[in-house]
Amino acid sequence: MRTTEIVDGFRQSAPYVNAHRGKTFVVMLGGEAMIQPGFRSIINDIALLNSLGIKIVLVYGARPQINQALEQHGLAAQYHNRIRVTDDDSFRLIKQVAGALQLDITARLSMSLSNTPMHNAQINVVSGNFVIAQPLGVDEGIDYHHSGRVRRIDVAGIRRQLDQNCIVLMGPVAASVTGESFNLTAEEIATQVATKLRADKMIGFTDIGGIVDEMGEIIAELMPNDAEKIMLALEEQPGACTATLAFLHAAISASRAGIPRCHLVSNSMNGALLQELFSRDGIGTQIVTEAAERLRAATINDIGGILDLIRPLEQQGLLVRRSREQLEMEIDQFVLIERDGLVIGCAALYPFPEENVGEFACLAVHPNYRDADRGTLLLKNIIQLARQRKYNTLFALTTRSIHWFLEHGFELKNVEDLPEKKQQLYNYQRRSKILALDLT
């Protein structure tokens, strides 16, 4: 990788580092991920998130490990309504498997070899009775024995550990108020913990890198209802990925409970977790409560993002330079497109109410997002705003985008056609072309 690529990558990830710092992520690490060759890289990446100031709750599952242990001891895995039936013999093995995995994950998070990303990380991993369980009981005459569900989450206890920059580690076995232990699913624990903590993200892993469409391409973003349709279809398919189904169950419930983003990423692709969280377009599938990209009015808090967007265009002479102070005074005139907290497009509508005219100005779209007609989307929004204000005309000044405006119905005009105040400000050295759109 050339130096410039490293620098570009680092700069691109910086806004996400800032955005994620101090946030709470619940990571659901299924047993399927732990048998992958890339498991060590996943642990390293989770440790890196912790070192960047992200609060991590790591919930691990053990479904394949438990089934393997049962098979080795001649015990059949029993299920009723897709829920494991945990009798005495099975539960003895489950506790052994879960305990061994907890020690293994803790040991891996404690590594500090000089040739690993965890060198000098000094991560504290905390496990405890943060989840209180209760038995599932009997259903349709089937006794679930030691299978249980979440009764209560110790939210205050978890937050105390997260505030100390500890990784909170939870497994599939939890105690009850009666002093018994029960076998729970990792997806239920992850969902309940994320919901009760009001986590910012829930993250899961799958063998196939995300949810795929009919063409085999990964779907970048799904709303909960669409994800549920896919989940129900997968449940009817023999051999469907268990980890994917488990995550979909958890993500749909978490999204409907208010968790903004649930990410599903590959458990085998090196660095998939980091690419999903620290790049603009990600690499896996998001289950979202609202679209990652939205058009809205700008606020004073958007000044920095707008400046980052327009400065390169000002330096190229494509936009007239605006100071921070000027932007602060004019921010109410701006609309923007935001994607995951980043400003990727903006435009302004400057009023000339005396002549019932508006100016379309300061159109800018991030270079990585210029292939999806976002400029047109901003123009249509400004036109709508101008019509709401009963303007008769919308005009624009440009030096390079003449044909784009003509394609959108604008016509070339003269300086004399501008509002009087704008005529006085017209820069004859810049020689911008004047275009206008009739709104009547």
Side-chain angles (χ1 to χ4, degrees), residues 122-229:
Q122 297 179 339
I123 293 172
N124 290 319
V125 182
V126 177
S127 301
N129 57 340
F130 299 113
V131 177
I132 301 300
Q134 61 183 343
L136 284 174
V138 179
D139 178 40
E140 298 178 344
I142 303 297
D143 190 344
Y144 284 109
H145 298 286
H146 299 284
S147 292
R149 61 176 178 266
V150 173
R151 178 178 182 179
R152 187 171 66 247
I153 304 290
D154 182 7
V155 174
I158 296 172
R159 284 183 174 152
R160 280 195 297 271
Q161 300 303 325
L162 294 177
D163 289 342
Q164 295 298 315
N165 201 35
C166 299
I167 291 180
V168 175
L169 179 63
M170 299 179 177
V173 177
S176 71
V177 293
T178 61
E180 301 172 273
S181 296
F182 291 93
N183 177 34
L184 285 68
T185 64
E187 50 266 32
E188 187 201 4
I189 295 174
T191 303
Q192 292 289 332
V193 170
T195 301
K196 295 297 189 296
L197 285 177
R198 297 181 181 176
D200 299 281
K201 292 182 184 293
M202 187 167 72
I203 300 165
F205 296 87
T206 178
D207 297 346
I208 53 179
I211 307 300
V212 297
D213 59 19
E214 295 177 352
M215 303 298 294
E217 298 292 328
I218 291 177
I219 303 171
E221 185 176 293
L222 287 168
M223 303 294 280
N225 288 346
D226 295 325
E228 185 174 38
K229 293 176 184 176

Side-chain angles (χ1 to χ4, degrees), residues 80 88 129 132 144 190 202 220 230 280 298 322 368 375 395 422:
H80 176 65
D88 292 345
N129 57 340
I132 301 300
Y144 284 109
M202 187 167 72
I230 292 173
R280 290 190 178 93
R322 290 168 174 82
N368 291 353
F395 73 87
K422 191 65 180 180

Side-chain angles (χ1 to χ4, degrees), residues 235-254:
E235 288 179 341
E236 300 300 320
Q237 296 179 12
C241 179
T242 304
T244 301
L245 281 171
F247 177 80
L248 281 174
H249 275 282
I252 292 165
S253 297

Side-chain angles (χ1 to χ4, degrees), residues 35 62-75 77 84 93 97:
I35 59 178
R63 189 175 288 109
Q65 290 85 350
I66 290 171
N67 288 340
Q68 183 180 25
L70 292 175
E71 183 179 350
Q72 290 173 348
H73 286 80
L75 299 173
R84 188 187 296 277
L93 287 174
V97 170

